Amino acid sequence: MADKTYPWKTAWITGASGAICGEIARRLADAGVKVAATARPSEKLDALAASSANITAFPADVLDVEALKACAAKVEAELGPIDLALLGAGMYVPFDIRNIDAEGFRQTMALNVDGVLNGVAAVLPAMLERGEGHLAIMGSLFGYAGWPGNGGYGASKAAVINLAESLKLELRGTGVDLTLVNPGFVDTPLNASYDPKKKLFVMSKERCARKILEKLPKRPYEIAFPPQVALFLKTVRNLPRAASFPLVRWFIKATGA
């Protein structure tokens, strides 16, 4: 039986070998939720599955939509209907205007956007047929506004935010809920190459996972934190660009970011 804190019996998590999603998988499993952990085959995925009897590894490449559909079907056949699908596969590549890594940009867009879309395609039809389910998509606060050195990652997360908004509108009345998870900087290997001085209000993976799981059972449209960064970037997004660009430059100079 799942802990009463979590209303899901079976959760499917993509990007499960990553720091945040791996931490969420462990916390759900500790509460009795059956967790299907998906990522490309790796020692990290194997170690995650070995850490709990409630976690089962279902290796797959999120960039292969047919393989991901087959993976979701296998999860449901072995563990039961997927109540929660957390689509969290992602990557970060620094963006340097003096030495643009075009291939890194394309890889970032593919994993962060196509990986999410393929996950939706794999799990949503069955949820719609049942008339119930919960999609959780991992975005980022930095998808709300351009940020120096963040051209590829920010662009990919802006696409994810737009996709989530569109899905939310279309899912009304279907019984399927959608939650967009937008954290700020989290101290993970994903952004280890990012200048530590530029990580605003950085948090640990444990705190990030805890904050997500505190709110996710209520099925809100968005979980966004930390509040200081969320407020600033959402304000920037809604300002005229003649005002937002100077504001970002001022903020960067004032904070040393």
Side-chain angles (χ1 to χ4, degrees):
M1 287 291 292
D3 187 278
K4 64 180 181 180
T5 303
Y6 303 131
W8 317 288
K9 294 180 180 178
T10 302
W12 181 42
I13 301 178
T14 66
S17 60
I20 298 172
C21 288
E23 183 67 22
I24 290 173
R26 282 185 285 269
R27 287 172 182 259
L28 288 174
D30 287 347
V33 179
K34 292 181 290 184
V35 177
T38 292
R40 285 179 292 184
S42 68
E43 292 182 359
K44 286 185 178 181
L45 183 63
D46 293 341
L48 177 64
S51 69
S52 172
N54 284 330
I55 301 177
T56 305
F58 289 85
D61 185 349
V62 298
L63 295 180
D64 186 336
V65 65
E66 295 305 322
L68 210 55
K69 288 178 180 179
C71 180
K74 185 179 181 182
V75 170
E76 297 212 330
E78 295 186 12
L79 301 183
I82 296 170
D83 303 309
L84 169 68
L86 173 59
L87 308 177
M91 66 182 293
Y92 166 81
V93 174
F95 190 85
D96 181 356
I97 62 170
R98 291 172 178 80
N99 186 24
I100 292 176
D101 182 356
E103 182 58 27
F105 184 96
R106 283 190 287 270
Q107 290 175 358
T108 300
M109 293 296 292
L111 187 60
N112 293 1
V113 182
D114 294 354
V116 167
L117 180 62
N118 292 344
V120 172
V123 76
L124 185 55
M127 288 184 173
L128 290 173
E129 185 175 348
R130 290 193 298 269
E132 61 182 7
H134 190 179
L135 281 173
I137 294 175
M138 191 68 73
S140 169
L141 288 177
F142 290 92
Y144 280 123
W147 200 260
N150 207 34
Y153 184 79
S156 71
K157 294 304 183 178
V160 168
I161 289 172
N162 194 289
L163 172 63
E165 290 172 348
S166 299
L167 288 171
K168 179 64 176 180
L169 291 168
E170 294 193 64
L171 288 173
R172 182 180 180 185
T174 65
V176 178
D177 291 307
L178 182 142
T179 298
L180 174 63
V181 182
N182 283 331
F185 278 115
V186 183
D187 190 15
T188 72
L190 181 71
N191 57 41
S193 61
Y194 201 89
D195 186 345
K197 295 179 180 179
K198 296 182 179 181
K199 294 180 181 180
L200 310 176
F201 301 98
V202 65
M203 70 192 77
S204 67
K205 66 178 183 179
E206 291 82 8
R207 183 184 175 202
C208 179
R210 183 175 68 250
K211 291 184 76 67
I212 291 170
L213 289 175
E214 283 174 355
K215 298 182 179 181
L216 197 57
K218 299 177 183 178
R219 303 190 174 208
Y221 166 66
E222 184 183 23
I223 300 173
F225 58 91
Q228 306 94 320
V229 180
L231 177 61
F232 179 78
L233 291 176
K234 289 186 178 185
T235 299
V236 166
R237 182 195 194 194
N238 293 320
L239 287 174
R241 291 298 167 256
S244 68
F245 291 148
L247 181 59
V248 169
R249 294 189 189 102
W250 168 84
F251 187 83
I252 290 171
K253 183 177 181 180
T255 61

